[in-house]
Amino acid sequence: MDSIPRRSARYHFDYGRQSRLASQLGGSAIRFGRSVEIAVIDFHTHSAASDGALSARDLIDRAAREGVRRMAITDHDTIAGYLSVCQSVPSGLELISGVELSCQWGRVGIHVVALGFDPAASVMTRHLESLDKARRDRAEKIAHKLDRSGMPGALAGAMAVAEGAQIGRPHFARWMVLAGHVESEEIAFKRFLGRGKPGDISMLWPTLGDTVETITAAGGLAILAHPLDYKMTATRLRALTDAFCDAGGVALEVINGRPRPGDTDTLWRLVRERDLQVSVGSDFHRDSPYGAGLGVEIAQIPEGMGVWERL
Ligand code: AMP
Ligand code: MN
Ligand code: MN
Ligand code: MN
């Protein structure tokens, strides 16, 4: 028996609400009778190649078991997980190339999900190599800051936790717990690693423009990940969306994990305003009471709006 709760954590569209919203916004009619085969997808997931708990193999096997039909592994700044499984995908599941790229818009760190690119395109492999280096440099800087806060040995510690994965702040957080510096990873972020804290090193990623152009040049589609997580005013979020569109971005991630319905409405409005498409994903990292399970139901998303229709 599979002990994983199958659909409990999955985000369900409120059909009435979405269809009302779609018609208010002049959207196309909801397509009835869409084949159930494509009703559950997931274009934002993490494996142990970055900061997820499951190996890429376990991640896709589990997604297939739970009824996900199309998905992408979108690790932070690495496609190693995707490459390790792309030749042996379970039947019934379609795996699309993916990655979640770190970049900067001015001083703000932004995440862009790339889907359906050629993983061998030199423009993409060069970009990923520069991100490898940026992440190693950042890890050294984070370790230096933690050292100055009375936590020596953070670089070796976080690298041991990462076990060869693309190193990130969650590995430092885990090490801080294991080394007894903090009680939980949440507290590690709150005190040392989160936005504006000593271990939050900024101004180090490639620009938003270069990132979106790289994705497009590699034949992929660029999606602005979790747009509301940047905590911007509506005006600033519009400016970010415009910069993203000008660079060639095509979609906003309107469902990330388990959004509140009001958040989804805000993003749908922006999508309509800027004539964009939408993407959806669980942003699954591990089983947790807070995060979403794998898979997003998309039967109620109006025809022509899903970026997956172009993949
Ligand atoms: P990085 O990619 O190194 O900048 O780390 C960012 C990652 O840390 C995110 O993708 C989340 O998985 C994780 N993260 C961010 N904020 C928190 C938090 N407050 N508590 C736990 N994990 C977090
Ligand atoms: Mn993450
Ligand atoms: Mn992200
Ligand atoms: Mn993510």
Side-chain angles (χ1 to χ4, degrees):
M1 254 310 275
D2 191 347
S3 62
I4 301 154
R6 278 179 57 86
R7 300 166 81 89
S8 55
R10 194 172 280 163
Y11 180 77
H12 291 264
F13 257 97
D14 171 344
Y15 170 73
R17 185 186 188 90
Q18 280 307 321
S19 65
R20 275 192 307 280
L21 186 69
S23 55
Q24 276 163 19
L25 297 170
S28 49
I30 305 292
R31 195 210 305 190
F32 289 94
R34 172 173 288 186
S35 124
V36 287
E37 280 79 35
I38 60 154
V40 179
I41 66 176
D42 201 332
F43 292 141
H44 193 150
T45 68
H46 293 272
S47 80
S50 65
D51 56 354
L54 303 182
S55 68
R57 165 61 41 209
D58 288 350
L59 181 69
I60 62 168
D61 285 352
R62 176 153 154 189
R65 247 187 359 255
E66 297 188 356
V68 177
R69 309 313 290 260
R70 299 184 86 191
M71 75 179 286
I73 300 171
T74 55
D75 278 313
H76 298 285
D77 305 327
T78 177
I79 57 172
Y82 165 75
L83 291 177
S84 73
V85 296
C86 65
Q87 305 288 354
S88 56
V89 178
S91 65
L93 178 70
E94 185 190 353
L95 184 68
I96 285 146
S97 61
V99 67
E100 183 176 11
L101 296 175
S102 307
C103 63
Q104 300 266 153
W105 182 58
R107 303 185 70 83
V108 192
I110 301 289
H111 287 175
V112 176
V113 164
L115 297 177
F117 52 87
D118 171 5
S122 60
V123 65
M124 179 59 81
T125 54
R126 277 201 307 272
H127 192 83
L128 291 170
E129 279 164 20
S130 82
L131 285 165
D132 282 345
K133 183 170 181 324
R135 280 197 173 258
R136 283 197 302 272
D137 292 350
R138 183 178 74 145
E140 281 177 23
K141 290 186 173 135
I142 293 173
H144 185 66
K145 296 279 183 143
L146 294 181
D147 186 49
R148 297 223 310 228
S149 302
M151 291 174 263
L155 186 59
M159 284 174 69
V161 169
E163 292 182 314
Q166 183 64 287
I167 196 155
R169 286 177 288 169
H171 303 115
F172 281 94
R174 183 89 212 110
W175 171 76
M176 287 165 70
V177 174
L178 293 173
H181 295 303
V182 290
E183 283 114 74
S184 71
E185 290 155 46
E186 199 56 43
I187 293 173
F189 269 90
K190 207 170 262 171
R191 292 205 197 131
F192 297 103
L193 301 169
R195 200 182 291 260
K197 300 296 168 187
D200 176 28
I201 311 290
S202 60
M203 303 304 286
L204 152 147
W205 306 117
T207 66
L208 174 76
D210 284 353
T211 300
V212 172
E213 283 167 20
T214 297
I215 295 165
T216 310
L221 301 175
I223 292 120
L224 185 62
H226 43 67
L228 299 179
D229 279 11
Y230 311 118
K231 309 284 180 220
M232 292 176 176
T233 61
T235 306
R236 209 146 153 71
L237 182 56
R238 278 201 179 78
L240 168 63
T241 304
D242 288 342
F244 174 73
C245 294
D246 288 348
V250 299
L252 301 187
E253 195 176 57
V254 294
I255 297 177
N256 173 275
R258 280 190 284 180
R260 292 169 304 180
D263 291 350
T264 321
D265 293 351
T266 303
L267 292 173
W268 271 105
R269 254 177 235 115
L270 193 53
V271 161
R272 296 288 191 193
E273 235 179 71
R274 296 299 195 256
D275 202 18
L276 286 160
Q277 285 186 300
V278 304
S279 187
V280 299
S282 63
D283 211 349
F284 179 84
H285 286 71
R286 58 183 44 77
D287 285 312
S288 112
Y290 315 109
L294 285 166
V296 179
E297 296 189 2
I298 54 158
Q300 316 303 344
I301 292 187
E303 187 176 357
M305 294 306 292
V307 77
W308 49 87
E309 295 180 29
R310 291 161 64 176
L311 291 168

